[in-house]
Amino acid sequence: MNKNVIVGQSGGPTAVINCSLAGVFLSALGNPKMGKIFGMRNGVKGLLEKRYINMGDYVKNQADLDLLKVTPSSFLGSCRYKLPSPAGSDEDRAVFAQIFEILNELEIGYFFYIGGNDSMDTIMKLSTYGEEINSPIRFIGVPKTIDNDLAGTDHSPGFGSAAKYVATSTKEIILDAQVYNNGAVTIIEAMGRNTGWLAASASLAKGDDCVGVDAIYLPEVAFDMDSFLNKISNLTQNNYSPVVVVSEGIKLADGRYISELGRENVSVDAFGHMQLTGTASYLAAQVKSKTGAKARAIEFATLQRCATHLQSATDAKEAFELGFKAVNAASEGQTNVVVTINRLSNNPYSFQISATQISTMANVEKTVPLEWITPTKDHVTDDYIKYALPLIQGESKTFIENGLPKHLKI
Amino acid sequence: MNKNVIVGQSGGPTAVINCSLAGVFLSALGNPKMGKIFGMRNGVKGLLEKRYINMGDYVKNQADLDLLKVTPSSFLGSCRYKLPSPAGSDEDRAVFAQIFEILNELEIGYFFYIGGNDSMDTIMKLSTYGEEINSPIRFIGVPKTIDNDLAGTDHSPGFGSAAKYVATSTKEIILDAQVYNNGAVTIIEAMGRNTGWLAASASLAKGDDCVGVDAIYLPEVAFDMDSFLNKISNLTQNNYSPVVVVSEGIKLADGRYISELGRENVSVDAFGHMQLTGTASYLAAQVKSKTGAKARAIEFATLQRCATHLQSATDAKEAFELGFKAVNAASEGQTNVVVTINRLSNNPYSFQISATQISTMANVEKTVPLEWITPTKDHVTDDYIKYALPLIQGESKTFIENGLPKHLKI
């Protein structure tokens, strides 16, 4: 019997999260077992409030589909909502009963959730509860994250485009930083609370036409302030203007985040509100006071996850395919799985998509291998470059209107 | 008699400053009156240290020229060096004597300086001194600035590309900001110490597919903290997530910069160094403490002037033509002039280039007309849109290698 489909997006956006949505939509559209395709607004949080759309009302033709793929942010909206345990209290279980009631009302047979490890936790819990009540609904996860911290997959859709943004912008900043030949220090901050995958992608800027960054600091190893300041002092001799990159989450050997140090030393303002200092701006202040060099902090902020105009075509293609194959997996009767990428070779780059038990990914965090970090703990090795370089290849076609990229509107 | 050419770049870089350099180079190369083409490293500061290159050693063919045009930062390096008065002390005049000695050694007949109003001051002083000593050297200015604050020209090369970067990134950020539907506030900071031209370009993001920014605050009018906080409180009702844009240089009615307020309220850190707070981050802290809303600051930092990958083709073409025509003006015997853009019509957009007395531009600052700012002082009118929209049209072709834009190396 023909069953309906529902798809949601959860967690932080990526530049290709809508490619996965487009993949799910197109695959479901062509699947004879599947009927209407609903999109939940703001993930399961919106679903619980019965907020959803009929995807077909928004993606009416190929042009809409193409536009969806290069639209930044999560088209359906997102949430950070953690489901309770399906083996929990009556109150906890009532949430699941409510969700399944809504799903049954909508005659859903297939549930897709595009997200990170928290979202996989959601899929796992819904599957567990569903199995218990003998629900026929198939639950499939589609991975995404700019942090690349998902286990069970070679890499995560979203990472390649974020890396392309970081590498492109860093390459431009390196040239800009050297313009005055005055020994000024630039400290760039990339996202990554516990993993340095994205900060490390700044290493890709180096090439025949670019000296590259002078240091990269990752959260995987302890940050040593003295070594850092020594390195800066050495680099700024002869008026060289170094550029270094830090993950937002770097911490000292005693476990304190650098971003916390800024808060410790700064008083509250007139209104009792603490002035927050980011990791890069704290380090810039340290450089100024300890070495006397000029220093500037640059945070990529949300630009690194929403700059769809710099989408990696490789990343976009993989994100689409994962969404597409998630529907195939559901159609074959699989459930409680996530679609993952297995790399077959680096050069030429090739990969395979398969479905993996969701427990390998849910609530697990994959960090940069320590052997990919140099012994001096301030850069990454060629192994990282070989891993990341294929993922930033290719430029997606954007649609320009009035000089700006055009997006699909919900 | 055949005379040599020297060209320099000064002040902050723009995404098209090397297009002007390419224009000067190509025009001089084809001019039978002109011989070798030298490039001074780091402007007149480097010239005084006899640091210069032969441009032909770096730009050897059309491919190099094309690459130069999309290379970020100032290819020759820059400086912030203010010449003394040519009517000053003996010591002051010795600087001019030294410069002219170096120029004569190099058999220079034509001197081009690509820069902002400080650089035009340099051209004016060199011309004045040159005239006094009966030097035949022609001195021509080529304007550039992302701030668009140069008088005597409809607009300045570099502004269009910076505006395209600001509008593109803001359009992406607006979608990203709305993803959680949680009433969080995003405050974007654009460059512009005394003029709001660039911050105002965020207004271009609005369109059929984009709600646009909710407010823009320019330094041309006094910033009122209470009105701002009231506006934010109203906007965040019903969980709407507003995006507002500020110029770095906005100030209160009493003349204090918002960025200074942050410094007043923040203590020095353990090492005696003051933690600096930017305009946007200060306002974000205010929003959090006064309205209770979540708030985030995003600074475009140097990205807005070096993101050559988002170069406006219109801007690039104009920058090239100004460089090209500067050489023509010099060849015709003009000196002490700057090449400027006169707009002929908005739709279709057309313009004319002419040479203008440099005194109209040197040390003068052009601000956004007050009638282009809304009565509520928190947005710009359609007149601004009509003015700025033609300047962000068209995308320059970038050359990609290994997934990243390729640049010309000095």
Side-chain angles (χ1 to χ4, degrees):
Chain A
M1 203 199 103
N2 203 309
K3 281 282 194 180
N4 295 332
V5 170
I6 195 159
V7 54
Q9 296 172 305
S10 178
T14 81
V16 298
I17 191 168
N18 294 330
C19 295
S20 292
L21 180 61
V24 167
F25 176 74
L26 193 68
S27 189
L29 198 67
N31 193 308
K33 292 183 195 169
M34 302 182 183
K36 281 185 190 155
I37 305 160
F38 296 104
M40 52 189 110
R41 299 301 312 271
N42 301 104
V44 286
K45 188 165 167 283
L47 181 65
L48 276 161
E49 298 158 2
K50 295 196 181 183
R51 292 191 293 116
Y52 48 81
I53 59 164
N54 192 328
M55 284 290 294
D57 293 343
Y58 295 85
V59 187
K60 295 184 287 290
N61 49 44
Q62 184 65 39
D64 289 343
L65 194 75
D66 290 343
L67 215 48
L68 175 62
K69 290 189 206 171
V70 288
T71 295
S73 191
S74 305
F75 183 73
L76 296 170
S78 185
C79 68
R80 294 203 182 275
Y81 179 82
K82 202 171 168 67
L83 277 177
S85 165
S89 64
D90 284 357
E91 203 182 328
D92 289 347
R93 291 178 59 83
V95 175
F96 288 91
Q98 201 187 339
I99 290 176
F100 276 81
E101 193 185 313
I102 295 165
L103 294 177
N104 289 334
E105 251 173 47
L106 292 173
E107 298 179 30
I108 301 297
Y110 312 93
F111 183 111
F112 303 96
Y113 214 42
I114 308 166
N117 33 30
D118 287 342
S119 310
M120 297 309 140
D121 176 73
T122 298
I123 285 286
M124 194 162 65
K125 286 169 174 169
L126 289 172
S127 302
T128 303
Y129 184 91
E131 209 174 326
E132 208 187 298
I133 62 165
N134 287 317
S135 164
I137 304 174
R138 312 281 89 188
F139 293 93
I140 316 275
V142 182
K144 74 82 211 157
T145 172
I146 63 164
D147 292 331
N148 201 40
D149 61 353
L150 298 180
T153 185
D154 176 77
H155 57 277
S156 304
F159 169 63
S161 295
K164 191 178 180 93
Y165 176 87
V166 167
T168 300
S169 299
T170 300
K171 196 162 184 258
E172 294 174 332
I173 288 170
I174 289 169
L175 276 179
D176 186 276
Q178 293 168 345
V179 77
Y180 292 123
N181 193 31
N182 64 352
V185 181
T186 301
I187 304 173
I188 299 174
E189 179 173 330
M191 282 182 172
R193 195 73 184 154
N194 300 316
T195 66
W197 292 105
L198 192 52
S201 68
S203 63
L204 303 174
K206 192 175 180 175
D208 291 343
D209 60 345
C210 179
V211 293
V213 292
D214 298 285
I216 302 176
Y217 297 95
L218 314 183
E220 279 81 357
V221 288
F223 179 80
D224 186 76
M225 191 67 79
D226 291 334
S227 311
F228 166 71
L229 292 171
N230 276 336
K231 184 165 185 112
I232 294 293
S233 291
N234 290 332
L235 282 166
T236 50
Q237 283 170 9
N238 305 318
N239 287 328
Y240 177 72
S241 300
V243 176
V244 306
V245 179
V246 298
S247 274
E248 59 176 333
I250 53 169
K251 37 189 184 293
L252 300 176
D254 64 13
R256 281 180 302 160
Y257 286 104
I258 300 302
S259 56
E260 281 173 18
L261 302 183
R263 288 167 216 185
E264 282 168 15
N265 289 323
V266 175
S267 75
V268 292
D269 73 7
F271 310 101
H273 189 88
M274 190 183 276
Q275 301 285 323
L276 299 187
T277 313
T279 302
S281 56
Y282 179 76
L283 291 177
Q286 288 293 300
V287 164
K288 282 186 253 186
S289 65
K290 293 291 198 68
T291 76
K294 288 185 183 186
R296 166 170 57 206
I298 298 178
E299 282 182 43
F300 286 141
T302 53
L303 292 162
Q304 61 205 298
R305 74 182 189 198
C306 69
T308 309
H309 76 272
L310 270 179
Q311 207 179 60
S312 150
T314 299
D315 189 25
K317 183 173 173 286
E318 291 178 355
F320 181 85
E321 280 192 41
L322 283 169
F324 201 95
K325 298 233 165 128
V327 173
N328 295 350
S331 178
E332 288 161 7
Q334 296 199 63
T335 188
N336 203 16
V337 295
V338 55
V339 280
T340 54
I341 300 170
N342 314 307
R343 187 184 303 223
L344 301 176
S345 87
N346 269 338
N347 194 5
Y349 173 66
S350 68
F351 66 95
Q352 216 171 34
I353 289 174
S354 55
T356 307
Q357 277 307 305
I358 208 141
S359 55
T360 59
M361 187 177 288
N363 309 312
V364 184
E365 204 165 48
K366 184 178 72 176
T367 53
V368 177
L370 292 181
E371 60 273 25
W372 289 7
I373 301 173
T374 58
T376 50
K377 297 182 179 175
D378 58 8
H379 231 299
V380 290
T381 68
D382 276 353
D383 283 332
Y384 176 87
I385 307 270
K386 281 179 202 151
Y387 169 84
L389 196 57
L391 311 180
I392 66 163
Q393 301 305 307
E395 291 68 50
S396 293
K397 180 177 163 48
T398 50
F399 304 91
I400 304 291
E401 199 169 78
N402 276 328
L404 299 176
K406 200 178 158 185
H407 305 142
L408 187 67
K409 197 174 179 198
I410 192 157
Chain B
M1 204 197 101
N2 201 309
K3 282 283 193 178
N4 295 331
V5 170
I6 195 158
V7 53
Q9 296 172 307
S10 179
T14 81
V16 298
I17 191 169
N18 294 329
C19 294
S20 292
L21 180 61
V24 168
F25 176 75
L26 194 68
S27 189
L29 198 68
N31 192 307
K33 293 184 195 167
M34 301 184 184
K36 282 184 188 158
I37 305 159
F38 295 104
M40 52 189 110
R41 298 302 311 274
N42 300 106
V44 287
K45 187 164 168 281
L47 181 64
L48 277 161
E49 298 160 2
K50 296 197 180 182
R51 293 191 291 114
Y52 48 81
I53 60 164
N54 191 327
M55 285 289 295
D57 293 345
Y58 295 85
V59 186
K60 295 186 288 291
N61 48 45
Q62 184 65 41
D64 289 342
L65 194 76
D66 289 343
L67 215 48
L68 174 62
K69 290 190 209 170
V70 288
T71 295
S73 192
S74 305
F75 183 71
L76 296 169
S78 185
C79 68
R80 292 202 183 275
Y81 178 82
K82 201 171 170 70
L83 277 178
S85 166
S89 65
D90 285 356
E91 205 183 327
D92 287 348
R93 290 179 59 84
V95 175
F96 289 91
Q98 201 187 338
I99 290 177
F100 276 81
E101 193 186 312
I102 295 165
L103 294 177
N104 289 333
E105 248 173 49
L106 292 172
E107 300 178 29
I108 300 298
Y110 311 94
F111 183 110
F112 302 96
Y113 214 42
I114 308 165
N117 34 28
D118 288 342
S119 310
M120 296 310 139
D121 176 72
T122 298
I123 284 286
M124 195 163 63
K125 286 171 175 170
L126 288 172
S127 303
T128 303
Y129 184 90
E131 209 174 326
E132 207 186 300
I133 62 165
N134 286 317
S135 165
I137 304 174
R138 311 283 87 187
F139 293 93
I140 315 275
V142 182
K144 72 84 209 154
T145 173
I146 63 166
D147 292 332
N148 202 41
D149 60 354
L150 298 180
T153 184
D154 176 78
H155 57 278
S156 305
F159 169 64
S161 295
K164 191 179 179 89
Y165 176 87
V166 167
T168 301
S169 299
T170 300
K171 196 163 185 253
E172 294 174 334
I173 288 170
I174 289 169
L175 275 178
D176 186 276
Q178 294 169 343
V179 76
Y180 291 123
N181 194 29
N182 63 352
V185 181
T186 301
I187 303 172
I188 298 174
E189 179 175 330
M191 282 183 172
R193 195 76 183 153
N194 300 315
T195 65
W197 292 105
L198 193 52
S201 69
S203 63
L204 304 174
K206 191 173 181 176
D208 290 343
D209 59 345
C210 180
V211 293
V213 293
D214 298 286
I216 303 177
Y217 297 96
L218 314 184
E220 279 81 355
V221 288
F223 180 81
D224 186 76
M225 191 68 79
D226 290 336
S227 310
F228 166 72
L229 292 170
N230 274 338
K231 183 163 186 113
I232 294 293
S233 291
N234 289 333
L235 283 165
T236 51
Q237 282 169 11
N238 305 318
N239 287 328
Y240 177 71
S241 299
V243 175
V244 305
V245 179
V246 298
S247 274
E248 58 176 333
I250 53 169
K251 35 191 185 296
L252 300 177
D254 64 13
R256 283 180 300 159
Y257 286 105
I258 300 303
S259 55
E260 281 172 19
L261 303 182
R263 287 166 217 183
E264 283 168 15
N265 288 322
V266 174
S267 74
V268 293
D269 73 7
F271 311 99
H273 188 89
M274 190 182 275
Q275 303 283 324
L276 299 186
T277 313
T279 303
S281 55
Y282 179 77
L283 292 177
Q286 288 295 301
V287 165
K288 282 186 254 186
S289 67
K290 291 291 198 67
T291 76
K294 286 186 185 184
R296 167 170 55 205
I298 297 178
E299 282 182 42
F300 286 140
T302 54
L303 292 162
Q304 60 204 299
R305 73 182 188 196
C306 69
T308 310
H309 76 271
L310 270 178
Q311 208 177 59
S312 149
T314 299
D315 190 25
K317 182 172 173 286
E318 291 179 352
F320 180 85
E321 280 193 40
L322 283 169
F324 200 94
K325 300 235 164 126
V327 173
N328 295 349
S331 179
E332 290 162 7
Q334 296 201 63
T335 188
N336 203 15
V337 296
V338 55
V339 279
T340 54
I341 300 171
N342 315 308
R343 188 184 303 224
L344 300 177
S345 86
N346 269 338
N347 194 5
Y349 173 65
S350 70
F351 66 95
Q352 216 171 32
I353 289 174
S354 54
T356 307
Q357 278 307 306
I358 208 143
S359 55
T360 58
M361 188 179 288
N363 309 311
V364 183
E365 206 166 49
K366 185 180 71 178
T367 53
V368 177
L370 292 181
E371 59 271 27
W372 289 8
I373 301 173
T374 58
T376 50
K377 296 183 182 177
D378 58 7
H379 231 300
V380 289
T381 66
D382 275 353
D383 284 330
Y384 176 87
I385 308 268
K386 281 179 203 151
Y387 169 83
L389 197 57
L391 312 181
I392 67 163
Q393 300 306 308
E395 291 67 50
S396 293
K397 178 177 162 50
T398 50
F399 304 91
I400 303 291
E401 198 168 77
N402 277 327
L404 299 176
K406 200 177 157 185
H407 305 142
L408 188 67
K409 199 181 177 193
I410 193 156

